[in-house]
Every structure is written in structure tokens, then in C-alpha cells.
Amino acid sequence: MTERTLILVKPDGVKRGLSGEILRRIEAKGYTLVAVELKAATAELLAAHYEEHVGKPFYEPLVEFMMTGASLAIVAEGDRVIEGFRSLAGPTDPTTAPPGTIRGDLGRQWPTTVLQNLVHGSDSPDSAEREIGVWFPTL
Ligand code: DAT
Ligand code: MG
């Protein structure tokens, strides 16, 4: 079933110049780009985006990290793109993410308290709809 997902190249990925490489992998997999915009997230936007993590121990450092620079917000479309992009991204911890994935090939643990793992991808159709609305209110 064709669906849409919200992908972010997080500030670490944008700063390291990996936006193009990550877009290339999304397109090489066969997904279609619907919207792409470089955007500086506010605390309010991140509270809506990371709704399920508010109050967790890593929430505050995560938000601080996400405000260290702009993120590249992407809406991608395709059959099963939600789980497909999660598979391209790899597991949350970049140190142990398998080679072949974005996090496994390009990410590693940096000396900070938060996982700087290059990308975000929506984890369900409900999350995708909410997150697309957060980053692209006019879509
Ligand atoms: P994912 O991004 O793989 O969907 P998540 O939704 O569980 O992971 O968490 C959101 C982000 O928060 C994740 O990309 C990095 C950070 N994070 C998650 N768990 C963490 C932890 N135990 N310590 C530090 N940061 C963490
Ligand atoms: Mg998540």
C-alpha cells in the first residue's frame, strides 16, 4: 500500500554534509520525494514531534541536540515506506547498527549523552501522519 513517512536528517547529519548521501539512499531504494525542507526546530515543534518521549531521561538532551542546527525534513512516499525507511536507517544505536544501514555505515557514538544517529523515521502510520503535520503543516 502506498503511504508516506516523515524522515529527518538530524543536525549531526546536516553538519557532516550527509544530506545528499541520505537522500540518495532513499531515492535509490525507489521511494519518491514529496517534500524536502531545511528547517530549524523549536522546542515546541520538538515536543510535538517527540510526543511519546516527553518525560524520559534522554528527552531534554535529545531536544538540546536537535536544536544544535537545522534538520532536513523529508516526506517520502512508496509502498511500505514507513517500515522500509526504518530498515534503511538501521537500529537506534549507531555503534551497533549493522553495516549497510545509514546508521551502521555513517554513524558512531560521539562523546555526548545523547545518541547522535543521523536520521529519524516515523515508526507507524499514526506517527507518520502526526509528524508530517508537525513539520509540514501545509501538506
Ligand atoms: P528511533 O530514532 O530509532 O525511532 P526512539 O524513537 O526510541 O528511536 O528514540 C528517539 C531518539 O532518542 C533516538 O533516535 C535517539 C534518542 N534515544 C533513544 N533512546 C535513547 C537512550 N537510551 N539514550 C540516549 N538517547 C536515546
Ligand atoms: Mg522513534
Side-chain angles (χ1 to χ4, degrees):
M1 191 190 73
T2 294
E3 59 187 14
R4 289 180 173 188
T5 193
L6 188 278
I7 296 167
L8 299 176
V9 179
K10 295 181 180 181
D12 56 336
V14 172
K15 281 186 187 156
R16 288 177 55 200
L18 295 172
S19 300
E21 169 63 15
I22 291 165
L23 285 168
R24 187 194 66 73
R25 289 179 183 223
I26 295 166
E27 290 192 302
K29 181 81 171 176
Y31 299 133
T32 304
L33 301 177
V34 176
V36 179
E37 189 181 329
L38 201 56
K39 191 162 171 164
T42 61
E44 292 71 30
L45 182 149
L46 291 165
H49 173 76
Y50 280 128
E51 187 176 67
E52 74 274 28
H53 296 310
V54 174
K56 292 186 184 171
F58 60 82
Y59 181 73
E60 291 297 337
L62 174 62
V63 166
E64 289 296 313
F65 158 57
M66 290 296 290
M67 295 197 303
T68 57
S71 291
L72 192 74
I74 300 160
V75 176
E77 189 172 81
D79 287 343
R80 298 174 67 194
V81 67
I82 295 172
E83 61 182 320
F85 179 76
R86 300 269 302 177
S87 178
L88 281 186
T92 307
D93 183 346
T95 294
T96 54
T101 66
I102 293 167
R103 288 165 169 171
D105 284 348
L106 308 173
R108 66 179 170 85
Q109 186 64 57
W110 292 68
T112 65
T113 57
V114 71
L115 292 175
Q116 302 193 16
N117 55 10
L118 298 170
V119 289
H120 165 86
S122 307
D123 63 8
S124 69
D126 283 352
S127 302
E129 190 182 339
R130 178 174 54 79
E131 293 169 5
I132 290 168
V134 167
W135 289 86
F136 295 98
T138 58
L139 263 191

